[in-house]
Amino acid sequence: MDKLQGIIPPVITPLTQNGDIDPTGLSKLLNHLNSGGVHGLFILGTTGEGPALGMERQKEMIRQTMRLKAGALPVLVGISAAALEDSFTLAEFAYEQGADALVCAPPCYFLPGEDELMDYYRTVAANVRLPLFLYNMPSMTKVLMKPSLVLRLAEIPNIRGYKDSSGNMCDLHEILLGLKNRNDFSIFVGPEELLAEAVLFGADGGVAGGANLNPELFVAMYNAAQNGDVMEMRRLQAAIYRQRRLYSIGRYQSSIIKGIKSALSLKGICEDVMATPFHHFLSPERQQVDNLLQTMS
Amino acid sequence: MDKLQGIIPPVITPLTQNGDIDPTGLSKLLNHLNSGGVHGLFILGTTGEGPALGMERQKEMIRQTMRLKAGALPVLVGISAAALEDSFTLAEFAYEQGADALVCAPPCYFLPGEDELMDYYRTVAANVRLPLFLYNMPSMTKVLMKPSLVLRLAEIPNIRGYKDSSGNMCDLHEILLGLKNRNDFSIFVGPEELLAEAVLFGADGGVAGGANLNPELFVAMYNAAQNGDVMEMRRLQAAIYRQRRLYSIGRYQSSIIKGIKSALSLKGICEDVMATPFHHFLSPERQQVDNLLQTMS
Amino acid sequence: MDKLQGIIPPVITPLTQNGDIDPTGLSKLLNHLNSGGVHGLFILGTTGEGPALGMERQKEMIRQTMRLKAGALPVLVGISAAALEDSFTLAEFAYEQGADALVCAPPCYFLPGEDELMDYYRTVAANVRLPLFLYNMPSMTKVLMKPSLVLRLAEIPNIRGYKDSSGNMCDLHEILLGLKNRNDFSIFVGPEELLAEAVLFGADGGVAGGANLNPELFVAMYNAAQNGDVMEMRRLQAAIYRQRRLYSIGRYQSSIIKGIKSALSLKGICEDVMATPFHHFLSPERQQVDNLLQTMS
Amino acid sequence: MDKLQGIIPPVITPLTQNGDIDPTGLSKLLNHLNSGGVHGLFILGTTGEGPALGMERQKEMIRQTMRLKAGALPVLVGISAAALEDSFTLAEFAYEQGADALVCAPPCYFLPGEDELMDYYRTVAANVRLPLFLYNMPSMTKVLMKPSLVLRLAEIPNIRGYKDSSGNMCDLHEILLGLKNRNDFSIFVGPEELLAEAVLFGADGGVAGGANLNPELFVAMYNAAQNGDVMEMRRLQAAIYRQRRLYSIGRYQSSIIKGIKSALSLKGICEDVMATPFHHFLSPERQQVDNLLQTMS
């Protein structure tokens, strides 16, 4: 695998009304993303509701993505789970289906300490047949991977990248500086509102949830940051924040995914069905999403 | 099912060196617990490393427990998972194997809000064929179920009990008072050091991790609290804290389970193998456990 | 000073409409408390809004309390502050006015580490002329004093007691057992809903905010717990929780003090004026307080 | 006052061995800062140990700073306190001494809710005679001021600026966009490692603790970000992180201030005496600071 760079959307998982993977919706979504110029796909992450889908639907999402994706876009597959054996099952299936890399957050029920987490990633990295990305997602896993730990983890063989969804730009700067000589290691930033500065200071790209909706916007920001085009970065940052008003509709942590799915549904790309325990937006929130889409178009 | 009462240990899961369920160790452990006078068994909880075991080992633990348990001890089965479909699979298997009740914590990756958690438990309770216990375990799930929410959840049909592992005695008092007229609802306290006062103020019993090691101690405390025997409660509380020094050996959240397994291994009951990502105590910690066992015997 | 025991209310600070200490209200309040059988007074604690009052009003509250208090009730004075020199000024003034002991929480702006906190308390204890009580109040100071630290702090000369407002009953058990042979050291529990079990397991008494309103209730609970009268403890615990509904009126952390002051105002004891930045309850909340008082009388 | 812009160091407070304000050290420090090209001075902030100094030393620090400062550098004075009356006393003194603006964090003991904080700042802003800056410092005050709240607070008359020490760059972007049309309002970022991107996206400057040591470095970064000079920003960011290794010496939150004072002492500018409850670095840490200074020079 060449070094990954650019915008790799955390692809939402289109579901039918009875909760199955929806190949039609997925096909439209992948075409939409491909047309938008993204540089890869990350499925079964947090935005993809991976851990809530269960094993069979996760496998089906891998299978359909590999079947439907256009062109040579690399595919990264989330394998985060509470049980290591589930991560291995997903990793092996992703390998067999031709995926390009794996992304693994710390286990989600028991909270490992730092040494335990080193052991965990050593075990995962040594037993999978694809390059592995670290996934720092403290809002879900409750484990904050500090820069000093990330630098240690980055030395494990087969660990080839890092996705930082901590939202902590101070930590990310430290990691970027610490790994700047690693040509074989990719660093991606999760929060889309930090994409510009992360890339400006050396990150390889972003895993922007909002790219599900508007991939061009984030590809443009990636390019602007790569080129150091400050005026363009400011203009696009304002556009990103306009779109982010979507996330303030509804309540609870789940409203970001609900908002994206609701907007994709209004755009005719896929249904807005959520995996349990979450429900899609009902009429009042959906109307707000619609109003917002009008102002942005 | 009659109303559950008494000491229901959160049974540790004995594993062989290659990580399989160890029927020999489990048999010895269940006999040890039964001889110690416990009133039921809770398998696949946090102390049982449930979510870290993966589906197949969890099923095997259910199967072996139902086969090996002595007498008529009721068996509660943990079904907590990141994906609802995994909880359903475990619940159905537990039902088929003859278990008595299910225990379910909030899902562990995505954090539901209060209304979402109501929906979640409504869905679980309506789709399982055994009575369901709520499981408040914020140190693992990061969801704190407040008393007002527990009182609302307790009204869902088929929810028949509550296990409180929050360690928040103020909240537990409020729940005990709010549900004191419910003859069909059992309230258990998790932290063993709160067993005495919880039972004294109306709880039905305790799910004491330390009962894996010394079931008689916790059964005696349950009886003392039931009888309002204050002098005995004070004496036993000191004994419980002497045993709890076990948990200060080692580091990280996992040291409690490691300590119990290490002590059971030294007592010849089962191996001290841990499920990934954790490792058993090595020589220095194991020696400390041994020294402590000497002082307690 | 003899060893302190019993109910020591954290006296609220009666203020006039323009924010001065109100001697008339304070006199009524102290008579009310004395008639209710309390065993001491703690002024300028959290419930007393100490740190928000500023130096001059704190001095005035000390002066008036020493002047107005009935009989030989011991008086404890809170000296918590962001700056050590303010703590010393308060401590010296309290000594000059004849107070009996001092109560000091960790400094509230900079968060000291464990060793820094040891130094802090050594400095305070060595430079004041009255016995010093530790004050564990993590919800305000953000410093959680763990049992191991409290046991170390308890060995500092002139530290003679500990007030635990952490709400963590597991920690308090550990401290009670660790200090049970100290005849010269008093342990008090803050949260009134933990008074019963704390005293039952060896605490010397409670600093119950609700005793401002209904001192007899908490004195009765203290006696019941001292006597190990379990039936009476259960009955009184329910009464305490009935009164505690007062604290669910209004919003924010400050609603507890607002509720107590509002109720005291309705009972004609003192005004409900709050120190900045807080305001007293307005009509809707005040009506709720009134309704609740009706149901309790 | 013209709109403030540029690098405004949070000036450390030089103390003599017996803890008094040290005019000689302060004079050297202010000359050092002035020579380094800073655009203003912020005294009695967190880095200045303001709340730990007590009233008299805070007044003395104001007096000496106004006396010793070179040229027309504007001076901002921290007035954060647990008691509003202390904030007013400081504010009035700062006004009398000729300071230019005030900076006020939420009160540090009682945690106000959002509406209470609105009231608080309305009261402060209306009763002081200098422009007021909001100070978001959740690591000390435990109150996180969210963007929506900051935007509301920014509308209060006489509130003329905002210092963001939250370290949350996502929130800061939202505030920068929300207030970008306010020509009379200054936005400063606290964490020095976020200075570049904050200014690039519209912040007016930074309050960088490290500027006490090396003002030129931060002035250069401010200029680079103002000019959109990306290559220079990357180079300077690496230099800032090299200096930041200073903060990883020692333990606890206080080690940042200790490190800066230790380094200033080694450079012969002032003593490294800390306000209680903190102590200066002893020999091993001081040696590490010295080694680090060697590598940076």
Side-chain angles (χ1 to χ4, degrees):
Chain A
M1 186 185 67
D2 290 337
K3 187 174 178 177
L4 279 174
Q5 287 188 303
I7 299 299
I8 319 264
V11 183
I12 63 104
T13 301
L15 298 173
T16 64
Q17 289 297 337
N18 58 15
D20 296 325
I21 304 298
D22 170 21
T24 310
L26 181 59
S27 175
K28 285 189 201 169
L29 177 59
L30 297 183
N31 287 337
H32 167 65
L33 295 174
N34 195 44
S35 307
V38 304
H39 307 83
L41 303 169
F42 169 37
I43 62 170
L44 302 179
T46 300
T47 308
E49 300 172 90
L53 292 172
M55 182 57 70
E56 291 315 311
R57 284 191 294 183
Q58 289 188 82
K59 284 185 175 174
E60 182 66 11
M61 180 65 182
I62 297 169
R63 188 184 294 118
Q64 294 292 350
T65 301
M66 296 313 297
R67 186 175 72 85
L68 295 165
K69 71 164 175 126
L73 283 186
V75 175
L76 289 75
V77 177
I79 61 168
S80 307
L84 187 59
E85 82 174 39
D86 287 345
S87 294
F88 286 154
T89 302
L90 284 167
E92 186 62 18
F93 191 81
Y95 170 77
E96 290 166 2
Q97 296 289 316
D100 299 274
L102 306 170
V103 184
C104 190
C108 68
Y109 191 81
F110 291 97
L111 303 192
E114 291 218 344
D115 293 337
E116 293 170 335
L117 205 51
M118 284 294 294
D119 281 339
Y120 186 76
Y121 275 114
R122 270 198 208 99
T123 304
V124 177
N127 287 281
V128 296
R129 296 198 272 175
L130 289 172
L132 184 66
F133 277 61
L134 305 166
Y135 188 3
N136 194 2
M137 179 43 106
S139 65
M140 297 292 158
T141 64
K142 304 309 152 197
V143 178
L144 177 62
M145 293 156 74
K146 291 188 294 186
S148 56
L149 177 64
V150 173
L151 297 186
R152 287 171 64 206
L153 288 167
E155 293 176 11
I156 296 174
N158 197 33
I159 291 191
R160 299 281 295 282
Y162 171 67
K163 185 201 161 192
D164 189 331
S165 293
S166 71
N168 188 323
M169 199 61 214
C170 302
D171 283 357
L172 184 53
H173 277 296
E174 191 168 341
I175 291 163
L176 287 167
L177 287 165
L179 296 173
K180 71 178 169 184
N181 296 323
R182 282 281 300 270
N183 294 322
D184 59 337
F185 195 94
S186 298
I187 299 178
F188 286 83
V189 67
E192 57 201 43
E193 62 270 54
L194 303 176
L195 172 62
E197 57 224 85
V199 171
L200 196 73
F201 283 99
D204 295 286
V207 180
N212 280 285
L213 203 54
N214 191 352
E216 293 85 355
L217 174 59
F218 295 92
V219 170
M221 180 61 107
Y222 171 72
N223 291 331
Q226 282 281 89
N227 299 333
D229 183 342
V230 173
M231 294 310 293
E232 182 73 352
M233 285 165 67
R234 289 185 189 155
R235 193 183 67 77
L236 294 168
Q237 186 77 351
I240 288 174
Y241 269 85
R242 275 196 298 279
Q243 179 171 310
R244 286 180 62 76
R245 284 174 295 164
L246 182 64
Y247 307 150
S248 62
I249 298 171
R251 295 193 298 164
Y252 306 137
Q253 203 182 45
S254 56
S255 64
I256 293 180
I257 309 176
K258 290 174 182 173
I260 295 173
K261 283 197 160 177
S262 188
L264 287 172
S265 160
L266 285 160
K267 292 180 84 148
I269 291 175
C270 63
E271 299 289 325
D272 59 356
V273 178
M274 299 282 295
T276 310
F278 304 122
H279 294 290
H280 65 161
F281 279 157
L282 296 178
S283 185
E285 286 85 6
R286 189 173 167 91
Q287 188 59 52
Q288 291 178 58
V289 174
D290 201 14
N291 294 345
L292 183 58
L293 289 180
Q294 304 301 327
T295 69
M296 295 196 308
S297 60
Chain B
M1 185 183 69
D2 289 339
K3 187 174 180 178
L4 279 173
Q5 287 187 304
I7 298 300
I8 320 264
V11 183
I12 64 102
T13 301
L15 298 173
T16 64
Q17 288 297 338
N18 59 14
D20 297 325
I21 304 298
D22 171 20
T24 309
L26 181 59
S27 176
K28 284 190 202 168
L29 177 60
L30 297 184
N31 287 337
H32 167 65
L33 295 174
N34 195 45
S35 306
V38 305
H39 307 83
L41 303 169
F42 169 38
I43 61 170
L44 302 179
T46 301
T47 308
E49 300 172 272
L53 293 173
M55 181 57 69
E56 291 315 311
R57 284 191 293 183
Q58 290 188 82
K59 284 185 175 174
E60 182 66 10
M61 180 64 182
I62 297 170
R63 188 184 294 115
Q64 295 292 350
T65 302
M66 297 312 298
R67 185 175 73 84
L68 294 166
K69 74 172 173 116
L73 282 186
V75 175
L76 289 75
V77 177
I79 61 169
S80 307
L84 188 58
E85 84 175 38
D86 287 344
S87 295
F88 285 155
T89 302
L90 284 167
E92 187 61 18
F93 191 80
Y95 170 78
E96 290 166 2
Q97 296 288 318
D100 299 274
L102 307 169
V103 184
C104 189
C108 67
Y109 191 81
F110 291 97
L111 304 191
E114 291 218 344
D115 293 337
E116 292 170 335
L117 205 50
M118 285 293 294
D119 280 340
Y120 186 75
Y121 275 114
R122 270 196 208 99
T123 304
V124 177
N127 288 282
V128 296
R129 295 198 272 177
L130 289 172
L132 184 67
F133 277 61
L134 305 166
Y135 187 5
N136 194 4
M137 178 45 105
S139 64
M140 297 292 159
T141 63
K142 303 310 152 199
V143 178
L144 176 63
M145 294 156 75
K146 291 188 295 186
S148 56
L149 177 64
V150 173
L151 298 185
R152 286 171 64 205
L153 289 167
E155 292 176 11
I156 296 175
N158 196 33
I159 291 191
R160 300 280 295 282
Y162 172 68
K163 184 200 161 191
D164 188 331
S165 294
S166 72
N168 187 323
M169 199 61 214
C170 301
D171 283 358
L172 184 53
H173 277 298
E174 192 169 340
I175 292 164
L176 287 168
L177 287 165
L179 296 174
K180 71 179 168 183
N181 297 322
R182 283 281 300 269
N183 294 322
D184 59 337
F185 195 95
S186 297
I187 298 178
F188 285 83
V189 66
E192 56 201 43
E193 62 270 53
L194 302 177
L195 172 62
E197 58 224 83
V199 171
L200 195 73
F201 282 99
D204 294 287
V207 180
N212 280 285
L213 203 55
N214 191 350
E216 293 85 354
L217 174 59
F218 295 91
V219 170
M221 180 61 107
Y222 172 71
N223 290 331
Q226 281 281 90
N227 299 333
D229 183 343
V230 173
M231 295 308 294
E232 181 74 352
M233 286 165 66
R234 288 184 189 155
R235 192 182 68 76
L236 294 169
Q237 187 76 352
I240 287 173
Y241 269 85
R242 276 195 298 277
Q243 179 171 310
R244 284 180 62 76
R245 283 174 295 164
L246 182 64
Y247 307 151
S248 62
I249 299 170
R251 295 194 298 164
Y252 305 137
Q253 202 182 45
S254 56
S255 65
I256 294 181
I257 308 176
K258 290 174 182 174
I260 295 173
K261 282 197 162 177
S262 188
L264 287 172
S265 160
L266 285 160
K267 293 178 83 146
I269 291 175
C270 62
E271 298 289 326
D272 60 357
V273 179
M274 299 282 295
T276 311
F278 303 123
H279 294 291
H280 66 160
F281 279 156
L282 297 177
S283 185
E285 287 86 7
R286 190 174 166 91
Q287 187 59 52
Q288 291 179 59
V289 174
D290 201 14
N291 294 345
L292 183 57
L293 289 181
Q294 304 301 329
T295 69
M296 294 196 308
S297 59
Chain C
M1 184 185 67
D2 290 338
K3 187 174 179 178
L4 278 174
Q5 287 188 304
I7 298 299
I8 319 265
V11 183
I12 64 103
T13 301
L15 298 172
T16 64
Q17 289 297 338
N18 58 14
D20 297 325
I21 304 296
D22 170 21
T24 309
L26 181 59
S27 175
K28 284 189 201 169
L29 177 60
L30 296 183
N31 288 337
H32 167 65
L33 295 174
N34 195 46
S35 307
V38 305
H39 307 84
L41 303 169
F42 170 38
I43 62 170
L44 302 179
T46 301
T47 307
E49 300 172 271
L53 293 172
M55 182 56 70
E56 291 315 311
R57 285 190 294 182
Q58 289 188 83
K59 284 185 175 174
E60 181 66 11
M61 180 65 184
I62 297 169
R63 188 184 294 115
Q64 294 292 350
T65 301
M66 297 313 297
R67 186 175 71 83
L68 294 166
K69 73 169 173 121
L73 283 186
V75 175
L76 290 76
V77 177
I79 61 168
S80 307
L84 188 59
E85 82 175 39
D86 287 344
S87 294
F88 286 155
T89 303
L90 284 167
E92 187 62 18
F93 191 81
Y95 169 78
E96 290 166 1
Q97 295 288 317
D100 299 274
L102 307 170
V103 184
C104 189
C108 68
Y109 191 80
F110 292 97
L111 303 192
E114 291 217 344
D115 293 337
E116 293 170 334
L117 205 51
M118 284 294 295
D119 280 340
Y120 187 75
Y121 275 114
R122 268 196 209 100
T123 305
V124 177
N127 288 282
V128 296
R129 296 198 271 177
L130 289 172
L132 184 66
F133 277 61
L134 305 166
Y135 187 4
N136 194 3
M137 179 43 107
S139 64
M140 296 292 160
T141 63
K142 304 309 151 198
V143 178
L144 177 62
M145 294 156 74
K146 292 188 294 186
S148 56
L149 177 64
V150 173
L151 298 186
R152 287 171 63 205
L153 288 167
E155 292 176 11
I156 296 174
N158 196 31
I159 292 192
R160 299 281 295 282
Y162 172 67
K163 185 201 160 191
D164 190 331
S165 293
S166 72
N168 188 325
M169 198 62 215
C170 301
D171 283 358
L172 184 52
H173 277 297
E174 192 168 340
I175 292 164
L176 286 168
L177 286 166
L179 296 173
K180 71 178 169 183
N181 297 322
R182 282 282 300 270
N183 294 322
D184 59 337
F185 195 93
S186 298
I187 298 178
F188 285 83
V189 65
E192 57 200 42
E193 61 270 52
L194 302 177
L195 171 63
E197 58 224 83
V199 171
L200 195 73
F201 283 98
D204 295 287
V207 180
N212 280 285
L213 204 54
N214 190 351
E216 292 86 353
L217 174 59
F218 295 92
V219 170
M221 180 61 106
Y222 171 72
N223 290 331
Q226 282 281 89
N227 299 333
D229 183 344
V230 174
M231 294 309 295
E232 181 74 352
M233 285 164 67
R234 289 184 189 156
R235 192 182 68 76
L236 294 169
Q237 187 76 352
I240 287 173
Y241 269 85
R242 275 196 298 278
Q243 178 170 311
R244 284 180 62 75
R245 285 174 293 165
L246 182 64
Y247 306 151
S248 62
I249 298 171
R251 295 193 300 163
Y252 306 135
Q253 202 182 45
S254 56
S255 65
I256 293 180
I257 309 175
K258 291 174 182 173
I260 294 173
K261 282 197 162 177
S262 188
L264 287 171
S265 160
L266 285 160
K267 291 179 86 147
I269 292 175
C270 63
E271 298 289 325
D272 60 356
V273 178
M274 298 283 295
T276 309
F278 303 122
H279 294 290
H280 66 158
F281 279 156
L282 297 178
S283 185
E285 287 85 7
R286 190 173 167 90
Q287 187 59 52
Q288 291 178 59
V289 174
D290 201 13
N291 294 345
L292 182 58
L293 289 180
Q294 304 301 327
T295 69
M296 295 196 308
S297 61
Chain D
M1 185 185 67
D2 290 337
K3 186 175 179 176
L4 278 174
Q5 287 187 304
I7 299 299
I8 319 264
V11 183
I12 63 102
T13 301
L15 299 173
T16 63
Q17 289 297 338
N18 58 13
D20 296 325
I21 304 297
D22 169 23
T24 309
L26 181 60
S27 176
K28 286 189 201 168
L29 176 61
L30 296 183
N31 287 337
H32 167 65
L33 296 174
N34 195 45
S35 307
V38 304
H39 306 84
L41 303 168
F42 169 38
I43 62 170
L44 302 180
T46 300
T47 307
E49 301 171 271
L53 293 172
M55 182 57 70
E56 291 315 311
R57 284 190 294 182
Q58 290 188 82
K59 284 186 175 174
E60 182 67 11
M61 179 66 183
I62 297 169
R63 188 184 294 116
Q64 295 291 351
T65 302
M66 297 313 297
R67 185 175 73 84
L68 294 167
K69 73 170 174 120
L73 282 187
V75 175
L76 290 75
V77 177
I79 61 168
S80 307
L84 187 58
E85 84 174 38
D86 287 344
S87 294
F88 285 154
T89 303
L90 285 167
E92 186 61 19
F93 191 80
Y95 170 78
E96 290 166 1
Q97 296 288 317
D100 299 274
L102 306 170
V103 184
C104 189
C108 68
Y109 190 81
F110 292 98
L111 304 191
E114 291 216 345
D115 293 338
E116 292 170 335
L117 205 51
M118 285 293 295
D119 281 340
Y120 187 75
Y121 275 114
R122 269 197 209 98
T123 304
V124 177
N127 288 282
V128 296
R129 295 198 272 177
L130 290 171
L132 184 66
F133 277 60
L134 305 167
Y135 188 4
N136 194 3
M137 179 43 107
S139 65
M140 297 292 159
T141 63
K142 304 309 151 196
V143 178
L144 176 63
M145 293 156 75
K146 292 188 295 186
S148 56
L149 177 64
V150 173
L151 298 186
R152 287 170 64 205
L153 289 166
E155 293 176 10
I156 296 174
N158 195 33
I159 291 191
R160 298 280 295 281
Y162 172 67
K163 184 200 162 192
D164 189 331
S165 294
S166 71
N168 187 325
M169 199 62 214
C170 301
D171 283 358
L172 184 53
H173 276 297
E174 192 169 340
I175 292 163
L176 287 167
L177 286 166
L179 296 174
K180 71 178 169 185
N181 296 323
R182 283 281 301 270
N183 294 322
D184 58 337
F185 195 94
S186 298
I187 299 178
F188 286 83
V189 65
E192 57 200 42
E193 62 270 55
L194 302 177
L195 171 62
E197 58 224 84
V199 171
L200 195 73
F201 283 99
D204 295 287
V207 180
N212 280 284
L213 203 55
N214 190 351
E216 292 86 353
L217 174 59
F218 295 91
V219 170
M221 179 61 106
Y222 171 72
N223 290 332
Q226 282 281 89
N227 300 333
D229 184 343
V230 173
M231 294 309 294
E232 182 73 353
M233 286 165 67
R234 288 185 190 155
R235 192 182 68 77
L236 294 169
Q237 187 76 352
I240 288 173
Y241 269 85
R242 276 195 298 279
Q243 179 170 312
R244 285 180 62 75
R245 284 174 294 165
L246 182 65
Y247 307 151
S248 62
I249 298 170
R251 293 194 299 163
Y252 307 136
Q253 204 182 43
S254 56
S255 64
I256 294 179
I257 308 175
K258 289 174 183 174
I260 295 172
K261 283 198 161 177
S262 188
L264 287 172
S265 160
L266 285 160
K267 291 178 84 145
I269 292 176
C270 63
E271 300 288 327
D272 59 356
V273 178
M274 299 282 296
T276 310
F278 304 122
H279 294 291
H280 66 158
F281 279 156
L282 297 178
S283 184
E285 287 86 7
R286 189 174 168 90
Q287 187 59 52
Q288 291 178 58
V289 175
D290 201 13
N291 295 345
L292 183 58
L293 289 180
Q294 305 301 328
T295 71
M296 294 196 309
S297 62

